[in-house]
Amino acid sequence: MFDGRLKMRHLVLVDVLTAEGSVMAAAARLHVAQPSVTRALREPETIVGVELYERGPRGVTPTVYGLSFTEHARSICTRWRPSCVR
């Protein structure tokens, strides 16, 4: 479906970003720099071909696609790595 480009790190990123609601908070929780999160977010958006989050001055808000993708990501994370989800 996504020709193998979608990785577990993308799923974890989307889960954390939706939970935190901000790139800075997600970066802190993942112990990476903010530019890394911003850059990494572009990868799943490019793979699925839609914008997953609306970016605003006070953080990010998942789009309809982002919410759906987050649900699937959490489902997969829970099955394969229960520790990756809150």
Side-chain angles (χ1 to χ4, degrees), residues 13 16-17 20-32 37:
L13 171 68
V16 171
L17 198 51
E20 295 295 335
S22 118
V23 173
M24 300 247 334
R29 185 162 159 196
L30 294 169
H31 306 287
V32 297
V37 172

Side-chain angles (χ1 to χ4, degrees), residues 30-76:
L30 294 169
H31 306 287
V32 297
Q34 178 269 328
S36 298
V37 172
T38 302
R39 201 170 26 255
L41 177 56
R42 282 191 225 119
E43 294 172 4
E45 288 182 326
T46 300
I47 292 167
V48 298
V50 295
E51 190 173 273
L52 298 175
Y53 296 90
E54 291 179 13
R55 284 104 167 138
R58 296 205 170 253
V60 294
T61 305
T63 63
V64 173
Y65 302 109
L67 289 173
S68 179
F69 191 88
T70 299
E71 287 180 33
H72 290 291
R74 287 179 176 162
S75 174
I76 292 167

